[in-house]
Amino acid sequence: MHMNLNNIYYLGSQCQPCRCLSFVFLVLFLMFFSQAFTTTADDLSSRIVIDGYSDDFTSNEELFIKYPLSESQELDDDSWWGEYNDVKQIKLTWDLNNLYIAIDACSWNNNVIYFLDIYDDYGIQDMLNLNTWMRAFKFYGTNPDFFLATWDTNDNPQFWKVREGSTLHADEITIDDFSTYNTGNLGRAMEAAIPWEVIYYDSLHTMKHYPYIKMLAVITTGADNLGGPDVMPNNLGGMPSDGKSMAVLDNYVNICVDSTGNGEPDIGISPKARVEFFKTPPFEEIALKVEKVNFPDGKVFASSQSEEIKFTLKTNRLSSFNVEIYNVKGKYICNAQYIGEDEWKWDGKGQGGKLVPFGIYILRFVSDSKEVSHNEAIAVIK
Ligand SMILES: [Ca+2]
Ligand SMILES: [Ca+2]
Ligand SMILES: [Ca+2]
Ligand SMILES: [Ca+2]
């Protein structure tokens, strides 16, 4: 009996440390598990702190795969201005009240902008025409309705809402945001808690009707009228090599926040599992090419008979073009008139409204990004 008790005690005492260790491992495992697989929840305001450091987001809240490098969807140094002026990651999650975002980037005397697009029927198309933050960006596939922007060393980013129906006017709205970008320091972020009620702002603009949010982020020059050296997700044609010319932003992340259609954000899901792209990175840049210029009524027309010439353009990816008209001596005459859907017309008149002399004229198709210029000859006859 004595021996038995002793044995039991002995066995028990031997197991005590094992149990302790198991318990510690279990707790560590659960902590790791909960860190790695945090999901959207009713209230994340105690975990996500808007302080410009994004380590409070977990790996399944990172929208871009970064490792292994061969599969990286966004490189830390794919910017024309190098790793110290580069967008590196977008992190995102949500609860019942807010969409939480972090833009990991490095900015050295430059700016970072994060764009959101929810409503197809309005938003920024050409940022040069906006009333604020005029940058040389054109959007294809999105027309952003909101953006969050800051400049290097400014810890108080600006959140802007494009006016309903507008492509030109945005108004600043105060939300909870913070940025720590600071003259080339790595590991910094811009963070914001964007209240759902700010982006779903009235009974016509609801999550139930618009459950998808498109987004992208860029680094851009501090000065107006210039572009930028890096975008994420990467655009199809690549950014202009000088980092300053007009950039065509034609790729985006698309996130469904309400898959059940009940008008409430989905709770208990991994944000990463919701990531869709227009074109999934990584991919090779596609150089813009003119595939065909069509002249439905031929390349010859009699302007004196009130005839017009019409032509359409087919390219291998989305872009916009201007068509300049020159005579054979290279003298600029005027621009062809854009009539929509990649179609133009010309009535054979110069800038003063006078008919040009008959002869051969050159149509020069020039892409906005200046990547491509393509010539076609036409004839004006009597
Ligand atoms: Ca934070
Ligand atoms: Ca980058
Ligand atoms: Ca829009
Ligand atoms: Ca990029």
Side-chain angles (χ1 to χ4, degrees):
M1 194 64 180
H2 180 79
M3 283 296 287
N4 281 349
L5 272 176
N6 231 359
N7 277 346
I8 289 164
Y9 179 73
Y10 181 73
L11 287 167
S13 71
Q14 193 183 41
C15 283
Q16 210 63 30
C18 296
R19 281 189 193 150
C20 260
L21 269 179
S22 307
F23 182 70
V24 168
F25 278 127
L26 183 69
V27 168
L28 284 174
F29 177 75
L30 284 174
M31 280 175 67
F32 174 78
F33 190 80
S34 65
Q35 278 292 307
F37 294 95
T38 50
T39 59
T40 57
D42 288 357
D43 184 0
L44 295 175
S45 59
S46 56
R47 175 166 64 89
I48 305 290
V49 181
I50 305 303
D51 59 359
Y53 292 95
S54 71
D55 50 2
D56 38 1
F57 289 79
T58 59
S59 61
N60 63 319
E61 294 166 342
E62 297 174 350
L63 303 189
F64 290 78
I65 296 165
K66 302 280 290 191
Y67 301 98
L69 274 184
S70 58
E71 287 164 32
S72 179
Q73 295 181 317
E74 178 63 31
L75 295 169
D76 283 350
D77 59 357
D78 64 333
S79 166
W80 287 106
W81 298 342
E83 65 170 335
Y84 295 106
N85 282 292
D86 185 283
V87 195
K88 300 175 193 300
Q89 180 63 274
I90 298 175
K91 299 179 180 179
L92 168 148
T93 190
W94 61 80
D95 61 18
L96 289 176
N97 294 314
N98 296 299
L99 177 69
Y100 299 93
I101 61 102
I103 313 300
D104 289 356
C106 189
S107 168
W108 198 329
N109 289 336
N110 292 299
N111 303 164
V112 177
I113 309 178
Y114 164 70
F115 298 96
L116 291 157
D117 179 34
I118 302 175
Y119 308 107
D120 291 344
D121 56 344
Y122 76 93
I124 306 164
Q125 292 167 355
D126 181 342
M127 206 172 187
L128 281 177
N129 295 332
L130 200 65
N131 64 317
T132 181
W133 289 87
M134 287 153 278
R135 296 295 185 278
F137 296 125
K138 282 205 174 186
F139 294 88
Y140 289 89
T142 64
N143 43 16
D145 313 318
F146 304 90
F147 63 94
L148 181 73
T150 194
W151 56 92
D152 185 26
T153 71
N154 170 44
D155 64 9
N156 185 11
Q158 299 179 346
F159 188 74
W160 292 81
K161 173 180 187 278
V162 178
R163 286 182 202 170
E164 186 194 342
S166 179
T167 58
L168 309 173
H169 289 279
D171 303 295
E172 198 179 349
I173 293 181
T174 302
I175 62 167
D176 184 14
D177 52 28
F178 202 84
S179 168
T180 54
Y181 304 137
N182 193 313
T183 43
N185 280 297
L186 298 169
R188 303 301 181 90
M190 171 168 72
E191 290 186 309
I194 306 169
W196 292 119
E197 62 190 23
V198 165
I199 55 177
Y200 293 111
Y201 53 89
D202 67 20
S203 61
L204 292 174
H205 299 88
T206 63
M207 187 182 292
K208 188 180 172 66
H209 293 111
Y210 299 94
Y212 279 91
I213 305 179
K214 296 174 182 175
M215 58 191 70
L216 61 154
V218 294
I219 185 150
T220 169
T221 53
D224 279 349
N225 304 315
L226 299 170
D230 187 26
V231 60
M232 71 182 297
N234 284 347
N235 55 341
L236 274 62
M239 297 294 267
S241 59
D242 63 1
K244 292 179 178 175
S245 307
M246 174 68 75
V248 171
L249 305 181
D250 52 8
N251 202 3
Y252 52 85
V253 183
N254 203 7
I255 303 269
C256 180
V257 294
D258 175 20
S259 65
T260 60
N262 68 350
E264 296 283 333
D266 295 342
I267 296 303
I269 65 109
S270 160
K272 198 182 189 82
R274 289 288 166 88
V275 172
E276 296 170 26
F277 292 96
F278 173 69
K279 185 171 176 66
T280 304
F283 51 79
E284 296 283 320
E285 289 172 7
I286 304 162
L288 182 61
K289 277 197 200 112
V290 170
E291 289 184 335
K292 200 167 173 43
V293 180
N294 276 312
F295 295 87
D297 306 317
K299 296 175 87 170
V300 178
F301 75 115
S303 55
S304 58
Q305 314 292 313
S306 297
E307 287 181 10
E308 294 178 330
I309 187 163
K310 286 188 177 175
F311 42 93
T312 59
L313 182 65
K314 195 169 176 302
T315 53
N316 63 335
R317 64 171 167 83
L318 295 172
S319 184
S320 60
F321 281 77
N322 285 308
V323 184
E324 299 161 355
I325 301 167
Y326 296 84
N327 69 15
V328 281
K329 290 177 183 160
K331 182 172 178 279
Y332 171 75
I333 307 294
C334 64
N335 271 28
Q337 185 190 350
Y338 186 66
I339 52 179
E341 311 263 318
D342 293 327
E343 184 168 15
W344 290 260
K345 66 177 185 181
W346 183 42
D347 57 6
K349 291 175 183 165
Q351 281 170 307
K354 257 183 78 177
L355 288 174
V356 297
F358 68 88
I360 302 294
Y361 290 84
I362 308 298
L363 304 177
R364 179 169 297 163
F365 294 77
V366 184
S367 69
D368 267 338
S369 54
K370 307 280 187 262
E371 284 170 84
V372 164
S373 111
H374 171 91
N375 292 345
E376 294 275 338
I378 57 168
V380 176
I381 55 169
K382 278 192 176 173

